[in-house]
Amino acid sequence: MSFFCDWLPMLLPTFFIGCAMFRPATGAQGSCPEDFWVELHWRAGSLPPPLHYESTITITSSGQSKMVLTPDYRRAGVPEWTEQFHVEEPNVRNLYRVMVENGLFTHRWRKMATGPTGGGYRRLVVIASGKRFMVEDYVVSEHRASARVMYAAVQALVPKNLWEQLEARREQYIEEYPRR
């Protein structure tokens, strides 16, 4: 199972649920705070090494962004690959607008009492106008679609070639694992 294929189901809501949300930002919703900062962390479920992996996407209001991939459980000797990329200002504004339209700043984001045991996990952390907002995976059902749209909006800003490059490195790490 590939890294890109693991993320693909999370990207699909962008195209099927939230496509209209990526229109150009207008009015007050388009004004993005200077301190706007987004971090989306993904942790694969409980899998034996080297199949487990984690990634973090960080996007800032200036567009300076990065993706960090850890191709295994975090421990001594496991690499952490960081790739920088730039998000154009209109796309940062659109991301902020997607967050506004999906209630990031107004909903009370409650988690389900229990999530699946051993499953993957996402956490979205956003700073805007001096306040910190967090949406953890397994939110209650009335907010689930909005959370997925926001996760997908962040993921969609990572260039496809960067996903592919990191997937190739991860596959090489898996192939070489028994020799470590």
Side-chain angles (χ1 to χ4, degrees):
M1 184 179 335
S2 78
F3 169 69
F4 189 68
C5 287
D6 290 344
W7 282 87
L8 189 58
M10 292 180 276
L11 291 173
L12 290 178
T14 301
F15 303 108
F16 295 112
I17 296 172
C19 236
M21 297 191 172
F22 287 99
R23 64 187 183 280
T26 57
Q29 289 184 353
S31 56
C32 180
E34 286 185 24
D35 67 344
F36 184 57
W37 177 90
V38 177
E39 181 179 88
L40 179 63
H41 181 74
W42 161 259
R43 183 182 71 217
S46 299
L47 296 168
L51 300 178
H52 176 84
Y53 63 95
E54 298 182 22
S55 66
T56 302
I57 300 167
T58 305
I59 298 172
T60 67
S61 60
S62 69
Q64 294 176 336
S65 305
K66 68 179 176 179
M67 182 163 171
V68 178
L69 178 70
T70 305
D72 200 345
Y73 290 97
R74 293 173 187 255
R75 63 181 186 277
V78 172
E80 185 175 273
W81 305 314
T82 301
E83 296 293 335
Q84 306 287 330
F85 62 99
H86 184 76
V87 176
E88 296 297 322
E89 187 266 337
N91 293 330
V92 174
R93 258 195 347 259
N94 284 342
L95 178 61
Y96 177 74
R97 188 183 40 71
V98 166
M99 305 273 173
V100 169
E101 290 178 358
N102 282 280
L104 175 67
F105 309 112
T106 56
H107 291 333
R108 183 170 165 245
W109 295 92
R110 295 184 334 258
K111 285 177 51 174
M112 294 177 3
T114 58
T117 302
Y121 181 78
R122 289 173 289 201
R123 180 183 61 243
L124 176 68
V125 179
V126 176
I127 294 175
S129 301
K131 296 180 182 169
R132 184 177 187 265
F133 304 87
M134 185 165 53
V135 178
E136 296 189 67
D137 220 347
Y138 311 117
V139 295
V140 293
S141 61
E142 68 254 26
H143 299 302
R144 201 166 296 140
S146 292
R148 287 180 179 154
V149 168
M150 291 187 296
Y151 299 151
V154 174
Q155 294 161 353
L157 293 174
V158 178
K160 183 181 176 189
N161 66 330
L162 194 145
W163 285 110
E164 292 168 349
Q165 176 187 355
L166 289 171
E167 171 59 16
R169 289 178 82 178
R170 181 171 173 260
E171 287 175 8
Q172 181 178 358
Y173 178 87
I174 291 169
E175 285 178 25
E176 294 173 358
Y177 186 77
R179 293 176 264 183
R180 292 184 193 283

